């Protein structure tokens, strides 16, 4: 297995800068590459902010934070960014045409030894890897936002990924202090996004039809479904552009995975991209990190059974189709979304029969999306 010393991260957005930071925090020499210096300046400011936070919370020492910062070299010139690199982690926006362009440039300069990894959240690893000179030494490493705090990394082999590269990916994730979960099949959304992205759309349907406010729905998500953030809050935090692109990519490959609500596309086209643009479902100030106030009192105003039913149905699909087992699914939701209670445990408390009835009611609107998965049906018996 190749030795990893130097990592080049392509793309310095929310995910790219976080991946660069945790790589440097764990001793790797890191190059952070973007197409313009101003993007890199903004990314390095965010890294500085995050390191200062970790110092403030006594997670690292001040001198250590300076060394970590010094281990990250921001570079615009792609050729220079790829010199002597052992691992490339691509974290550019989710657009296959853009990735195609990026990888064709990378292929011109990357050394023979460089292994390729993509942080794609929704595009099939096999499809991307075929755009490159090395589909056998290509792997999906899907980190979660914020990479500095979330422990999960989904490891997704493509159709031609060599076993040694899967092992390399798993070992790298462990060396970053993260927990890998292997995604056995290269399906749209992998594990966590197959649950998260459809849930954002479902929340939009609930907002439209249930006569409740966003903070009532989000409070119920936080206090009754045990997620650390409300679902609209999490969508804004992730980025409406990310949700919109993920929706497009997942839905174009599998109509069963998602039931798109037009609200997401509308927010996207009006430039309301969430926290990063100051407006999304909610409005924000200019602080680096900002939370939406949610309360147990407001949670009492709403029953989130529809969202729970959809989450359980998509989770069941993953199990039925051997993408992961129940244990890995719960681990992924706990470490990737901060879910504080097991999803199927919440389902059990609500009652699986009630969940199936909810889905059967919803089936009239979109049969292929809401039809209860056989695994979920067996739980209700
Ligand atoms: N670096 C360092 N510190 C950070 C930070 C960062 N990048 N981001 C936030 N913090 C700090 C905050 O500033 C805050 O500090 P203060 O106490 O000084 O204010 C501290 O972390 C804790 O924040 P909270 O009080 O809000 O505490 P929390 O318990 O809710 O934890 C959280 C924060 C870990 C983000 C948690 O809310 C969480 O897990 N949210 C869900 C995130 C999630 O689901 N991510 C996955 C999204 S999907 C995805 O990423 C995949 C995709 O492909 C789309």
């Amino acid at each position: 297995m190749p030795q990893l010393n130097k990592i080049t991260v392509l793309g310095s957005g929310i995910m790219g800068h976080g991946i660069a930071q945790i790589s440097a925090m764990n001793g790797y020499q890191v190059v952070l590459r973007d197409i313009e210096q101003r993007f890199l300046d903004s990314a390095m400011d965010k890294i500085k902010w995050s390191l200062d936070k970790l110092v403030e919370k006594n997670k690292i020492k001040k001198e250590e934070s300076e060394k970590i910062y010094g281990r990250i070299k921001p570079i615009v010139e792609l050729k220079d960014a790829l010199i002597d690199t052992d691992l490339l982690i691509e974290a550019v926006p989710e657009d296959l045409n853009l990735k195609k362009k990026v990888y064709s440039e990378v292929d011109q300069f990357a050394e023979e030894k460089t292994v390729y990894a993509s942080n794609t959240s929704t595009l099939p690893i096999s499809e991307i890897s075929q755009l490159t000179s090395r589909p056998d030494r290509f792997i999906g490493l899907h980190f979660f936002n914020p990479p500095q705090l979330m422990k999960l990394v989904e490891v997704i082999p493509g159709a031609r990924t060599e076993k040694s590269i899967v092992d390399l990916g798993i070992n790298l994730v462990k060396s970053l202090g993260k927990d890998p979960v292997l995604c056995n099949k290269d399906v749209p959304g992998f594990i966590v996004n197959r649950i998260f992205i459809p849930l954002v759309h479902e929340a939009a349907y609930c907002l439209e039809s249930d006569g409740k406010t966003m903070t009532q729905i989000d409070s119920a998500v936080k206090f009754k479904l045990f997620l650390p953030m409300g679902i609209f809050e999490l969508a804004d935090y992730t980025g409406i552009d990310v949700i919109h692109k993920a929706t497009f990519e997942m839905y174009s490959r599998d109509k069963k995975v998602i039931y798109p609500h037009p609200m997401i596309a509308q927010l996207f086209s009006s430039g309301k991209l969430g926290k990063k643009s100051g407006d999304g479902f909610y409005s924000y100030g200019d602080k680096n990190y900002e939370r939406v106030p949610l309360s147990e009192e407001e949670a009492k105003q709403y029953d989130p059974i529809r969202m729970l039913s959809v989450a359980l149905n998509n989770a069941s699909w993953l199990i039925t189709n051997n993408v992961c087992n129940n244990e890995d699914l719960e681990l992924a939701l706990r470490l990737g979304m901060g879910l504080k209670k097991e999803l199927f445990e919440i389902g059990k408390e609500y009652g699986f029969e009630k969940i199936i009835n909810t889905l059967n009611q919803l089936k009239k609107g979109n049969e292929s999306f809401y039809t209860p998965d056989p695994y979920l049906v067996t739980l209700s018996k």
Side-chain angles (χ1 to χ4, degrees), residues 90 92-96 99 119-123 245-246 249:
E90 168 270 305
V92 306
E94 293 289 86
D95 175 330
L96 198 61
K99 301 222 190 234
N119 176 56
T120 182
S121 53
T122 41
L123 291 165
K245 289 195 175 96
E249 297 299 346

Side-chain angles (χ1 to χ4, degrees), residues 28-247:
Y28 294 99
Q29 287 303 322
V30 179
V31 169
L32 182 58
R33 193 266 170 176
D34 214 316
I35 49 173
E36 286 185 40
Q37 188 60 43
R38 67 190 169 104
F39 297 141
L40 291 172
D41 292 343
S42 155
M44 293 306 283
D45 282 349
K46 290 196 184 89
I47 291 173
K48 170 105 189 26
W49 173 85
S50 173
L51 289 170
D52 286 348
K53 265 278 161 207
L54 298 174
V55 171
E56 189 187 308
K57 295 193 179 288
N58 286 323
K59 300 252 169 69
I60 51 173
K61 299 237 162 13
K62 179 82 189 139
E63 314 79 75
E64 208 186 327
S65 83
E66 283 158 11
K67 280 194 194 142
I68 294 165
Y69 189 83
R71 254 180 241 136
I72 307 171
K73 257 181 130 181
I75 295 183
V76 171
E77 197 59 54
L78 182 62
K79 190 175 176 194
D80 298 340
L82 292 170
I83 293 172
D84 199 32
T85 214
D86 300 299
L87 177 71
L88 168 102
I89 305 182
E90 168 270 305
V92 306
E94 293 289 86
D95 175 330
L96 198 61
N97 283 328
L98 174 67
K99 301 222 190 234
K100 193 171 179 174
K101 182 170 170 283
V102 167
Y103 280 109
S104 77
E105 287 166 5
V106 166
D107 270 340
Q108 287 174 43
F109 306 118
E111 294 173 22
E112 192 52 40
K113 68 169 184 173
T114 309
V115 172
Y116 292 180
S118 176
N119 176 56
T120 182
S121 53
T122 41
L123 291 165
I125 296 304
S126 301
E127 267 182 54
I128 309 177
S129 68
Q130 264 141 33
L131 304 171
T132 75
S133 58
R134 53 201 77 175
D136 50 339
R137 288 189 299 127
F138 191 109
I139 183 113
L141 295 179
H142 181 216
F143 292 77
F144 288 78
N145 181 30
Q148 294 93 336
L149 304 184
M150 307 310 285
K151 295 283 271 179
L152 177 71
V153 181
E154 290 174 337
V155 177
I156 313 108
R160 290 178 57 193
T161 310
E162 278 174 9
K163 166 85 172 67
S164 65
I165 301 301
V166 179
D167 294 342
L168 175 141
I170 289 174
N171 288 338
L172 168 83
V173 170
K174 288 182 182 163
S175 77
L176 297 177
K178 307 281 176 200
D179 290 300
V181 165
L182 190 66
C183 189
N184 294 323
K185 287 189 188 165
D186 192 7
V187 295
F190 310 133
I191 300 172
V192 171
N193 277 346
R194 187 144 195 134
I195 294 168
F196 168 45
I197 306 289
L199 211 47
V200 176
H201 291 272
E202 208 54 36
Y205 285 109
C206 295
L207 184 64
E208 185 182 60
S209 65
D210 294 351
K212 300 290 171 181
T213 66
M214 270 188 316
T215 53
Q216 285 170 337
I217 295 175
D218 264 359
S219 295
V221 167
K222 179 165 173 173
F223 293 100
K224 293 180 171 169
L225 299 185
F226 304 97
L227 281 171
M229 290 178 167
I231 204 73
F232 297 117
E233 180 187 17
L234 181 57
D236 278 352
Y237 180 65
T238 304
I240 300 298
D241 49 340
V242 173
I243 308 283
H244 177 66
K245 289 195 175 96
T247 301

